Amino acid sequence: MYQFKQHKKKSIACIIGFALLIWFLLCLPSTLFNDSYSIVLNDSQGNLLSAKIAKDGQWRFPESDSVNPKFNACILAFEDEYFYKHPGINPVSIWRAIKQNNKAGKVVSGGSTITMQLTRLMRKNQKRTYGEKLIEVIMALRVELTYSKDEILKLYVSHAPFGTNVVGVDAASWRYFGRGLPHLSWAECATLAVLPNSPSIIYPGKNQDRLKRKRDKLLFKLLTLKNIDAETYQLAIQEPLPQKPFPLPNQSRHLLNRAVSENNLDNNFNTTIQSEIQNKVLDILTKHALQLKQNEIHNICALVLDVNKNEVISYVGNTPLKDKEPHGEDVDVITSNRSTGSLLKPYLYGFMLNDGQLLPNMLVPDIPTQIAGYVPQNFDFTYDGAVPAKQALSRSLNIPAVKMLQQYTIDKFLDRLRQIGLSSMNRSADNYGLSLILGGGEAKLWDMCSAYASMARVLSHYNSSSKYDGRDWNKPNYLVNKKTEELLKQKNIIISASSVWLTFEAMAEVGRPDIDASWKRLGNAQKIAWKTGTSFGFRDGWAIGISGNYVVGVWVGNADGEGRPGLTGISAAAPVLFEIFGSLPKTDWFKMPVSDLKQVLVCKQSGCLASQYCNDIKKEWIPKNSNVSISCSYHKPIHLDATEQYRVTDACVSPLDMKTVSWFVLPPVQEYYFKTKNPMYKSLPPYRHGCEPEIERSMEMIYPKAGTVIYIPYELSGEQGKTIFEIAHRQPSNSVFWHLDGALIGMTRDIHQLGLNPSKGKHMLSLSDNTGETLNIPFEVVSEKK
């Protein structure tokens, strides 16, 4: 019976022991802490850029790998000198604590190791009792079986309280010293090390004398342990204590919000941002924002990309200023759709070069234009008649751009824009119309800069390898070790390296704004391809530039879309652009991709491929794979009499008495405006009397064109206004007689304009000059006479 009882006791003991073993093995949760964490954004060197407080109101940074041997030495010397020697508990310390507590009659010492303190933090600081201490001891032993000493130390310092609402040494370092943990001194590390011992009583700004005594005592212990020498000790105890918490950095709040929205499971974001450049851009934007504010322009943003690395190195999503009255400062304009203004023109120029539909200096019409009711205007409301395509781009002329888009077709252009990543171009070609090239569409600064950076990367990589790679069209990356979205699944050639180079060369010829003079004096002058844009109603001012290895994009305006006088890309955004470029390291300009180019003979005057009638010919570089076949049609053979003052025909002069010459001839309307800007232009000589051919058009209608529908508004006086009707004539001195619906209404000479206010309905305007040439223009008026 006795043996049975003994056996039963042993069995019960075994069961209890086994149960305790199971409990011991399972007492540790898979995740030691389920706390909410602050969201932190770090630069490329691991320094804090911006942070958001945790949901529970604590500044508790996610566990990081930041290490400072000085702090480790301090925390171990203060909290647990034998941390790396004991198994999680220190019996000597526990026994000493028991004696001290019994003598004092209350808990004055816990005798806890760092591992035991970690378990106490896990259990949310339960009431101090001997039973709780026993649980801490057991769990500490279990923690030591699972985690290494370094992991335990890292967990402890990441979750220890450091006073007020600061949890963890990383948050404490920034909150109390305004720097990351790796950059703290011995005195600063010692200050932080003594805080978790009594965080509610002592912290920077409270009980300073007591805090200094504890810090200096720890520094003396470090001297005793030979962690520091006497000189370091003397210098350390002289360092002042922080008086109050520092505000946490907030250099990239918009990028922080973006990182959270696009990666909502993460709390710790390591970015490609370079703090030195970010701070310079912030300073530049702050200065200009103060100036722009005087004109009620409240928002500005900037983006800087490293082309070769395909990384974001500066991201300022909106103005650094904060007003009492909100002005949309929280909007991340970099990712907002805004009217593009003229920013799409270089893409069109490059695509047309690439597809053989354009030569760099080919003449493009710049005349009053009306296309299906759409009437584009140049920014200065003037006309050149005809202008080289390259010059039209560098001067950002609107009418030539519309003419080029009409030739290229809107559908094709939209397709190419989507291929290069302008995803917001999601409406139909009919919906956009030809105004697309002048700001009729919207895009993000992010996508625009990304596309220009991809073009630069295509050119750089081709120059180094003579190959194309679809990965050149990836979106830029702002997070470290995160793959970017790849636009091309195959290695398609969207635009050739040679077309990119020719486009950038045209963009680099733009006259710079006033700031350029001071920018050059900084000694950092470099070649930059750049383009500005201004939206309708002066709502958006853009400037984007490309140097050898950087793309800089700037947007200026009001986030709510309010327009302001003087809000243009050239006056508001371009000065910011060049100041940012002046703050960046200088880079070399792109090499000419000679192997992707070929030379052709072109007419110097028209920019088209030279024909047999071109007198002045030059060589010009064009894309190697271009199948362009646009020959010069402007140079034509004409026959002159012996005096070379009149044109003649074989109807009145023997061919033997004629002199045949090549003459540069523009259509009448183009000629009319071209002569005003090009005084060397020679109009065709008149025909000798009696030698006029049967068909020779000298007149061309400028406005209205045949079939135009006209709305004539009423003036403020209540009277119906007038519409200016205008023609171009090769011989302005000729008299032109104007007939409306068969009735003579006037005669003009030299300047062929008449102000008319026809009644509602369809009309026929008939024109005839003193040579007998006639021109009939049907039109319709939709307004009524009162």
Side-chain angles (χ1 to χ4, degrees), residues 354 416 419 458 467-473 486-496:
N354 187 81
R416 301 297 284 276
Q419 285 182 25
V458 165
K467 294 180 181 179
Y468 292 99
D469 190 337
R471 289 171 295 183
D472 288 338
W473 292 93
E486 190 171 326
L487 294 178
L488 292 179
K489 303 303 180 183
Q490 300 176 352
K491 297 181 180 180
N492 299 327
I493 301 175
I494 297 180
I495 183 170
S496 66

Side-chain angles (χ1 to χ4, degrees), residues 305 340 342-344 347 421-422 425 442-453 475 542 544 551:
L305 306 180
T340 59
S342 297
L343 286 184
L344 302 181
Y347 299 136
L422 302 192
M425 298 289 176
E442 293 184 334
K444 304 176 180 69
L445 183 65
W446 175 261
D447 290 339
M448 297 293 290
C449 289
S450 171
Y452 278 115
K475 292 286 187 180
W542 303 76
I544 296 181
V551 168

Side-chain angles (χ1 to χ4, degrees), residues 349-634:
Y349 180 83
F351 293 153
M352 292 185 74
L353 286 174
N354 187 81
D355 296 356
Q357 292 184 252
L358 189 73
L359 287 140
N361 288 292
M362 188 177 79
L363 287 181
V364 183
D366 182 23
I367 56 176
T369 299
Q370 184 177 33
I371 304 171
Y374 175 56
V375 184
Q377 295 282 352
N378 289 327
F379 190 77
D380 59 2
F381 299 103
T382 64
Y383 308 97
D384 279 29
V387 62
K390 184 177 181 180
Q391 189 182 123
L393 174 59
S394 65
R395 291 172 55 195
S396 196
L397 297 177
N398 291 338
I399 293 173
V402 170
K403 293 284 190 181
M404 290 165 62
L405 180 58
Q406 186 181 28
Q407 177 189 344
Y408 193 68
T409 74
I410 305 169
D411 278 310
K412 188 175 180 181
F413 187 50
L414 273 174
D415 183 59
R416 301 297 284 276
L417 291 177
R418 291 162 184 157
Q419 285 182 25
I420 65 174
L422 302 192
S423 57
S424 56
M425 298 289 176
N426 51 19
R427 307 201 306 267
S428 67
D430 290 340
N431 189 286
Y432 284 114
L434 291 170
S435 67
L436 171 65
I437 197 65
L438 304 183
E442 293 184 334
K444 304 176 180 69
L445 183 65
W446 175 261
D447 290 339
M448 297 293 290
C449 289
S450 171
Y452 278 115
S454 294
M455 290 169 69
R457 206 156 37 247
V458 165
L459 180 53
S460 296
H461 287 175
Y462 185 87
N463 279 330
S464 62
S465 65
S466 297
K467 294 180 181 179
Y468 292 99
D469 190 337
R471 289 171 295 183
D472 288 338
W473 292 93
N474 287 357
K475 292 286 187 180
N477 195 14
Y478 64 88
L479 294 177
V480 175
N481 299 325
K482 181 175 175 60
K483 291 183 178 179
T484 57
E485 173 190 0
E486 190 171 326
L487 294 178
L488 292 179
K489 303 303 180 183
Q490 300 176 352
K491 297 181 180 180
N492 299 327
I493 301 175
I494 297 180
I495 183 170
S496 66
S498 53
S499 300
V500 172
W501 183 78
L502 289 167
T503 301
F504 285 176
E505 285 290 310
M507 294 169 67
E509 291 187 6
V510 182
R512 294 185 170 94
D514 293 341
I515 193 174
D516 188 42
S518 60
W519 175 67
K520 285 183 176 178
R521 284 198 296 270
L522 294 175
N524 198 25
Q526 56 186 320
K527 192 172 182 178
I528 296 171
W530 63 291
K531 184 74 188 74
T532 60
T534 304
S535 67
F536 178 77
F538 302 102
R539 294 181 174 89
D540 306 90
W542 303 76
I544 296 181
I546 308 102
S547 67
N549 191 41
Y550 297 107
V551 168
V552 176
V554 176
W555 175 91
V556 175
N558 287 310
D560 61 4
E562 179 187 356
R564 295 299 302 167
L567 175 50
T568 65
I570 195 70
S571 63
V576 184
L577 177 88
F578 285 109
E579 193 164 348
I580 292 175
F581 267 117
S583 70
L584 298 175
K586 185 176 180 180
T587 60
D588 294 329
W589 183 245
F590 303 99
K591 294 179 181 178
M592 180 179 180
V594 179
S595 62
D596 197 43
L597 289 160
K598 64 182 178 183
Q599 282 189 312
V600 294
L601 294 175
V602 299
C603 172
K604 195 170 182 179
Q605 286 179 284
S606 70
C608 300
L609 294 178
S611 70
Q612 59 180 321
Y613 300 113
C614 293
N615 299 321
D616 199 354
I617 296 173
K618 67 174 184 178
K619 289 184 177 180
E620 187 164 73
W621 292 102
I622 67 169
K624 181 180 179 179
N625 294 324
S626 171
N627 294 318
V628 63
S629 59
I630 307 170
S631 296
C632 179
S633 60
Y634 295 93

